[in-house]
Amino acid sequence: MTRDEIMEMAAKDIAELLYEEVDKGADKAGALEAVGLTQADIMKAQVFWVKGEFKARAWAGYTSTKRTGNEAGDTGIGVGNSDPSKGYMGV
């Protein structure tokens, strides 16, 4: 399988392919080399090396820290007694 074919696969499938190499005794670098991928490739595919195994990120794209307005205790001007208009002093 070529690098381009692997990169078209779902992140979960790429993680499984890489983990098969780990099961054969390869470390992270060895698994990447065996399938012809680089660290940059797996980052782009949203696959990460966590505690000795490859894991696919549950969702792709950006995550946001922007408030949704659905937080517990949310009021019209902020969460609880905070006032976002005052910056860090409003906390």
Side-chain angles (χ1 to χ4, degrees), residues 17 19 21 32 35 37 41 44 46 56 63 66 74-75 80 87 90:
L17 179 69
Y19 200 67
E21 296 298 324
L32 289 172
V35 298
L37 296 178
D41 291 334
K44 184 184 284 187
Q46 299 291 306
T63 57
K66 184 176 180 182
D74 204 4
T75 63

Side-chain angles (χ1 to χ4, degrees), residues 18-54:
L18 289 165
Y19 200 67
E20 286 174 10
E21 296 298 324
V22 173
D23 281 344
K24 295 177 187 174
D27 60 356
K28 176 185 173 186
L32 289 172
E33 185 178 333
V35 298
L37 296 178
T38 64
Q39 176 66 36
D41 291 334
I42 65 168
M43 288 177 68
K44 184 184 284 187
Q46 299 291 306
V47 175
F48 303 96
W49 178 255
V50 180
K51 296 184 180 179
E53 59 185 81
F54 288 99

Side-chain angles (χ1 to χ4, degrees):
M1 190 177 297
T2 68
R3 176 195 168 277
D4 292 333
E5 290 171 335
I6 294 171
M7 291 301 291
E8 289 177 8
M9 295 168 58
K12 181 181 179 218
D13 297 330
I14 295 172
E16 288 174 8
L17 179 69
L18 289 165
Y19 200 67
E20 286 174 10
E21 296 298 324
V22 173
D23 281 344
K24 295 177 187 174
D27 60 356
K28 176 185 173 186
L32 289 172
E33 185 178 333
V35 298
L37 296 178
T38 64
Q39 176 66 36
D41 291 334
I42 65 168
M43 288 177 68
K44 184 184 284 187
Q46 299 291 306
V47 175
F48 303 96
W49 178 255
V50 180
K51 296 184 180 179
E53 59 185 81
F54 288 99
K55 298 205 182 242
R57 185 172 178 188
W59 60 89
Y62 294 98
T63 57
S64 176
T65 57
K66 184 176 180 182
R67 295 168 40 83
T68 63
N70 295 324
E71 290 81 7
D74 204 4
T75 63
I77 61 168
V79 176
N81 294 325
S82 68
D83 185 354
S85 67
K86 295 179 182 176
Y88 72 91
M89 298 295 289
V91 176

